[in-house]
Amino acid sequence: MKINKSNLSFKNLSYSNNPQSIVLHHAEASKCSIEDIHKWHLDNGWAGCGYHYLVRKDGSIWRGRPENAVGSHVSGFNQNSLGICAEGSYMKETMPEVQKKTIIDLCKYLCNKYGINKIYGHREVGASNCPGVNYPLEEIRKAVLSDKETKSYIKLDGGGYVNYNGAPGINLIIRDYSADITRVFAWVDSDKGSSWAFDINPPNGNYTKLLKNTSKIINIRNGRDTFSKGTYYKIKVKGYNKDGKIVAENEIMLRIPN
Ligand SMILES: [Zn+2]
């Protein structure tokens, strides 16, 4: 795999990127070079090309921002991700095999380098239709992650919590979850008909945005019941994939302080 150096001069970059995921994009342009993208993004008033890599239709790889530079490709994720853009407009076009194979190789290289096991399409983590309905997102993700991560998981943490009014509650933390999980519901073991919802793309205000280390403080359960001090509660969680299928479950015992 050959990575072509690009001769781009950036304005002020911030070198605090801590890559924990890869976000895939398309250029929404049938033909473009790394220089074209650099110019477009400078024209946006950005520091320059917002992606870390461009993969062209001929399978060539071009360097954008340095990997340790904070990107400008997906709002809210730029501090801890690498952005890979594919030349092409994949709402309509079909990706050439050589381009797809190169994106898989580049993702594998970056996943190994940084211990990454999450690959997202832009639309899964931001308000966008990028990288387009024809972009082979699942195929690429599966090819890269299949030999790394086959089992779905949710890792929990948290503790009992008493707020400044003395109201007892639970602080539930979703430390980590596998890349296929897009939605998580949590509830107290014995409660029926009441849950706390987390989602990658929250559909309404009842949902908390699902990110690694998402923390949610819960004071009310079942719509009206409160927690009792000094008591243990079993919190159960279920993780759903984008098709609404339960792919992982976990539970944690948390004690409310006296
Ligand atoms: Zn995008």
Side-chain angles (χ1 to χ4, degrees), residues 85-97:
C85 182
E87 178 188 29
S89 190
Y90 293 117
M91 287 301 281
K92 293 230 170 74
E93 297 179 291
T94 303
M95 181 175 283
E97 283 299 316

Side-chain angles (χ1 to χ4, degrees), residues 154 156-157 170-174 183-199 206-208 210 216 218 220-222 227 234-240 248-252 254:
I154 305 170
L156 303 174
D157 202 349
I170 294 281
N171 182 19
L172 178 66
I173 303 170
I174 301 190
R183 180 173 280 187
V184 171
F185 288 110
W187 64 95
V188 175
D189 184 25
S190 57
D191 284 356
K192 297 271 185 285
S194 154
S195 63
W196 314 306
F198 305 79
D199 197 291
N206 294 327
Y207 286 76
T208 300
L210 179 60
K216 183 172 171 61
I218 302 142
I220 300 283
R221 56 195 186 89
N222 251 353
F227 294 94
K234 184 193 279 181
I235 309 299
K236 289 185 172 179
V237 300
K238 289 187 179 182
Y240 294 76
E249 297 183 50
N250 202 351
E251 55 187 54
I252 187 170
L254 297 174

